[in-house]
Amino acid sequence: MGIKDKKIAAFLTSASDAAKIISKSVEDEEAIRVVSHLDADGLSAAGIIAKSLLRLGGTFHVQIERWIDESLVDQIAAEKPALSIFTDLGSGYLDLLNEKLSDNRILILDHHQPVGEASSAFTQINPHLHGIDGSRDLSGAGVTYFVAKAIDKKNIDLAPIAVVGALGDLQDKYEQRKLGGANEMIVEDAISEGHLKLETDLLFFGRETRPIHKALTYVTNPFIPGISGEEDKSLAFLVSLGITPKSKEKWRALRDLSDGEKKKLFSALADYLASKGFPSEVAMGLLGNVYTLTHEEPWTPLRDAREFTVLLNATGRLDKAGLGVAICMGDRGAALEQANEVLREYRRTITKYLSWLTEKPDRIEELESIYVVRGEGVIEDRVIGALSSILSTSLPNREKPIIAYSKVSGEETVKISARTLVLLTSRGLDLGDIMRVAAEKYSGRGGGHNIAAGAHVPVKDVDSFLKLVNKLVKKQLTAK
Ligand code: C5P
Ligand code: C5P
Ligand code: ZN
């Protein structure tokens, strides 16, 4: 057995230990508390565990949280559920959990870098504990999926939801936007059961739901000057290639184009980019692996796994997390209609802030080693992470991470969302580490992944915090 297989085997053994704890708890008719994270990965994880518990006939309650803090820990300490299952969160907050819940039975199914040691009453299933990279190779939903599959093989039908979770955490960092490592095993499960199709295609967002010219307008990776953000010109570009945007009275989505049309579109875009002086590999960024959930209805945002993640994020960010979990558990119909409405509102919100950001050049401030977006008073804290992710791929200087923040409503705290690219993590940048160290210096809290991290610090300290982050980024990137 190779080293890689050994790591996976050890991780899978830990997942089946967790499965035994869960099955036994249900057998003993205990009331189980599930606490999961608010983003697409967390909601997918919640859906997977909830569906597994439902199938076992368990009694459980799902609670979705933005993060673990004192008040959540106090609440659990007061209620003292027989078993608490934390999914897609927990490992980054072991000290806090140890402090107040050390005699509670807690199961942590997470992929965040563990900070500290877990109390002996806790069982922690985390790929990092077995030398597997949890920021890229397995998501919170993925960890939960392996536990679900160990509970009952039938839960293999939840593999597509774990694929959605991984894509929600932007783990498609392998060549051509592919999921790799342990995630690949989940993709294989989903394909072998006939739930998933994997193909290389144009990566336009909205391939199932947006008119092609709109999808083209929204391409920002790469940013195509004269096309990105310009709907009329995008439409004209398509028409000039002989691609008809409508079939009968209906706008065509990318999914409706023939292979020939897609080839023509790609090579025209490649020629266009070349004519603007871009090196040829830039055009290759338009192509990549597309994950299609074959049992979902065409033209719905659930069919393209990446659109699915945005729908989930929207429900989470706009206080409709329960809807997201229900969809991950298989609800459609009215739940999907409501989720679609939430998605529309979410898109309006994001678009509003993106136009605010581009109105004036100094709204994305460039410091020596970082970019800063000061969103206080403008941007709602619940979408700051999504905006930071969007901005991170289209910064003029790709060698600097973006640090965006906004004020948490009703609190004297700011929420910071930091993002960077593989280009910098491969050179040793670890934003999770920097957020944690810098936040702790100012009596805040921070953490996360090397590529995507966040923090909460008092409003009064934000400038000093940013200065320190700037310094730490520079230090990490010039070390060695
Ligand atoms: O791990 P967690 O689910 O808390 O991640 C939060 C956010 O970090 C995700 O919603 C995603 O936007 C971002 N992320 C990223 N790249 C990664 C992992 C996470 O941009 N490799
Ligand atoms: O909130 P945001 O999407 O920016 O979070 C990015 C990553 O940082 C997530 O994995 C989140 O769990 C982590 N984070 C953290 N501590 C905070 C804020 C965010 O560990 N105070
Ligand atoms: Zn996650």
Side-chain angles (χ1 to χ4, degrees), residues 65-81:
E65 295 289 337
R66 283 202 232 181
W67 49 73
I68 295 183
D69 59 13
E70 301 264 340
S71 73
L72 173 69
V73 170
D74 288 342
Q75 175 222 325
I76 293 176
E79 293 173 14
K80 214 163 194 279

Side-chain angles (χ1 to χ4, degrees), residues 37 39 66-67 88-89 92-93 111-112 169 317 384-386 388-389 415-419 445-449 452-456:
H37 191 216
D39 69 3
R66 283 202 232 181
W67 49 73
D88 194 36
L89 39 71
Y93 295 85
H111 70 127
H112 292 92
D169 265 5
R317 299 298 164 188
I384 196 77
S388 200
S389 292
K415 175 180 192 316
I416 293 131
S417 278
R419 299 286 189 272
R445 274 198 158 270
H449 311 282
H456 292 85

Side-chain angles (χ1 to χ4, degrees), residues 12-316:
L12 291 177
T13 304
S14 77
S16 69
D17 292 343
K20 283 179 201 134
I21 293 176
I22 293 173
S23 302
K24 171 89 174 41
S25 177
V26 171
E27 254 171 57
D28 293 348
E29 299 186 357
E30 291 177 349
I32 300 174
R33 171 66 48 98
V34 174
V35 181
S36 195
H37 191 216
L38 181 86
D39 69 3
D41 183 30
L43 296 177
S44 303
I48 291 170
I49 196 72
K51 189 84 187 179
S52 314
L53 289 169
L54 193 68
R55 285 174 172 168
L56 281 179
T59 308
F60 63 95
H61 176 87
V62 180
Q63 174 175 351
I64 303 296
E65 295 289 337
R66 283 202 232 181
W67 49 73
I68 295 183
D69 59 13
E70 301 264 340
S71 73
L72 173 69
V73 170
D74 288 342
Q75 175 222 325
I76 293 176
E79 293 173 14
K80 214 163 194 279
L83 175 69
S84 301
I85 307 176
F86 285 79
T87 54
D88 194 36
L89 39 71
S91 294
Y93 295 85
L94 293 171
D95 51 347
L96 198 57
L97 298 176
N98 287 339
E99 210 176 284
K100 296 200 174 160
L101 300 175
S102 61
D103 58 347
N104 281 246
R105 275 171 66 223
I106 295 183
L107 186 56
I108 298 169
L109 312 180
D110 196 6
H111 70 127
H112 292 92
Q113 187 71 53
V115 181
E117 295 278 327
S119 142
S120 59
F122 302 172
T123 306
Q124 184 181 207
I125 315 303
N126 188 313
H128 288 288
L129 298 175
H130 306 281
I132 298 168
D133 179 1
S135 74
R136 190 182 60 175
D137 290 352
L138 195 59
S139 72
V143 173
T144 310
Y145 168 73
F146 282 119
V147 173
K149 206 172 125 185
I151 293 175
D152 187 339
K153 277 217 171 65
K154 278 194 212 123
N155 290 328
I156 194 167
D157 65 348
L158 302 173
I161 302 300
V163 170
V164 169
L167 291 171
D169 265 5
L170 311 182
Q171 296 196 323
D172 51 348
K173 296 278 166 30
Y174 285 79
E175 202 158 322
Q176 291 207 307
R177 304 278 309 270
K178 202 172 185 169
L179 293 169
N183 277 324
E184 216 160 3
M185 295 165 63
I186 306 175
V187 169
E188 281 163 15
D189 279 358
I191 292 175
S192 72
E193 293 292 302
H195 302 304
L196 185 75
K197 189 171 77 190
L198 181 57
E199 61 194 324
T200 307
D201 199 351
L202 284 161
L203 275 173
F204 297 0
F205 192 81
R207 55 182 297 105
E208 289 286 337
T209 54
R210 276 186 179 151
I212 326 155
H213 66 285
K214 290 213 178 185
L216 182 54
T217 312
Y218 284 104
V219 172
T220 53
N221 187 19
F223 187 88
I224 314 171
I227 290 184
S228 294
E230 309 209 30
E231 199 172 315
D232 296 349
K233 292 192 183 149
S234 296
L235 186 59
F237 189 81
L238 292 168
V239 172
S240 75
L241 298 175
I243 298 173
T244 46
K246 275 189 171 179
S247 150
K248 302 200 180 104
E249 278 312 291
K250 203 172 172 288
W251 291 106
R252 297 168 77 204
L254 187 63
R255 71 174 322 276
D256 302 316
L257 265 56
S258 69
D259 285 345
E261 285 175 312
K262 285 194 271 201
K263 278 206 183 92
K264 200 196 284 178
L265 178 53
F266 172 70
S267 58
L269 286 169
D271 291 348
Y272 179 82
L273 283 164
S275 78
K276 300 272 169 192
F278 287 91
S280 58
E281 65 266 20
V282 170
M284 292 312 289
L286 292 164
L287 295 178
N289 284 276
V290 173
Y291 294 82
T292 306
L293 305 192
T294 47
H295 292 338
E296 302 296 342
E297 288 293 323
W299 298 289
T300 70
L302 303 185
R303 195 164 158 101
D304 172 18
R306 289 192 180 88
E307 287 197 66
F308 199 146
T309 72
V310 175
L311 178 115
L312 290 179
N313 264 317
T315 64

